[in-house]
Amino acid sequence: MAFSADELRVLRRALAIALHPMPLSDEDVQDCLRLAGSVDEAVGEAGRLRAFLLADLARYRNALPGSATGYLELLQDALSVGYDPRPDDLAALRALRGGPLAAALLERCQVLAERSVRARLAGRSSGAAAPGPRSRLLALPGGRAAAREPDRPRTPAAPDKPQKPGERPMPKPSEVFPPRRRPAPPPSEERAAG
């Protein structure tokens, strides 16, 4: 990401204000907001460019071996911006390893893939959980949410086995196996005659 001279001036001033707080003029605030907007736009554009590059890489990989030259160039570009090679990339490079560039890229991708797998395994073994879905934020007692939501009675957990958070309570047998209906008695001959 490159900044213009004006953007660097604004950035330098914003950093100085962050280190030594002082009141800002309206012009300084507007400059900072414009700079923040420019940075957000550049980050969004970088994301779009990365998505385009990865889609292009997949198209070239699917067209192999005819697109070997283009694929190898795109893979080099993707690796330079932090792309983690996929198993499909490793398989494609193994098929193309007759050329010196493909062989060098295969070695580089194998090292990167191994490093990535080790990092993921180290994250799991150290207890760092993979980011799951976001949980709902709860308001503190007495906040606006307390005025809107009435108190609901909570069902107590079974006394013999404490219920863990997020765990469903054990269903009752009548919920799992509904009562069977008794079969209707066969029509008797007496009723038919009488």
Side-chain angles (χ1 to χ4, degrees):
M1 181 182 302
F3 291 105
S4 70
D6 285 339
E7 289 172 333
L8 280 176
R9 179 185 52 79
V10 172
L11 184 60
R12 210 176 286 126
R13 196 170 17 165
L15 289 173
I17 291 169
L19 291 174
H20 306 287
M22 65 176 114
L24 291 174
S25 69
D26 289 341
E27 183 182 334
D28 288 342
V29 170
Q30 291 303 318
D31 287 344
C32 288
L33 290 174
R34 274 193 296 275
L35 178 63
S38 296
V39 169
D40 289 344
E41 186 178 325
V43 167
E45 185 62 32
R48 286 189 292 276
L49 183 62
R50 180 178 169 81
F52 175 77
L53 177 66
L54 296 180
D56 217 16
L57 182 67
R59 277 197 308 277
Y60 273 78
R61 184 177 50 236
N62 292 336
L64 285 174
S67 63
T69 306
Y71 172 71
L72 295 175
E73 288 174 9
L74 282 173
L75 183 59
Q76 281 180 319
D77 292 344
L79 291 173
S80 68
V81 294
Y83 173 69
D84 260 348
R86 309 278 190 264
D88 293 343
D89 295 312
L90 295 172
L93 288 172
R94 284 186 191 105
L96 298 171
R97 69 176 160 215
L101 179 60
L105 276 174
L106 177 60
E107 285 180 33
R108 182 177 174 195
C109 286
Q110 285 174 331
V111 169
L112 290 173
E114 184 177 331
R115 189 179 303 152
S116 174
V117 167
R118 285 178 192 251
R120 277 186 264 141
L121 290 176
R124 286 186 191 155
S125 66
S126 68
R134 285 189 172 177
S135 61
R136 201 182 94 187
L137 296 175
L138 302 174
L140 295 174
R144 279 193 253 165
R148 281 185 262 145
E149 292 183 18
D151 288 340
R152 287 182 239 141
R154 294 184 179 210
T155 56
D160 56 337
K161 184 178 176 186
Q163 186 176 344
K164 296 176 185 170
E167 184 179 56
R168 290 182 26 189
M170 180 69 78
K172 298 176 187 174
S174 62
E175 294 172 343
V176 177
F177 304 105
R180 292 186 182 184
R181 296 185 182 188
R182 294 184 180 156
S188 65
E189 294 178 18
E190 293 176 4
R191 288 188 185 174

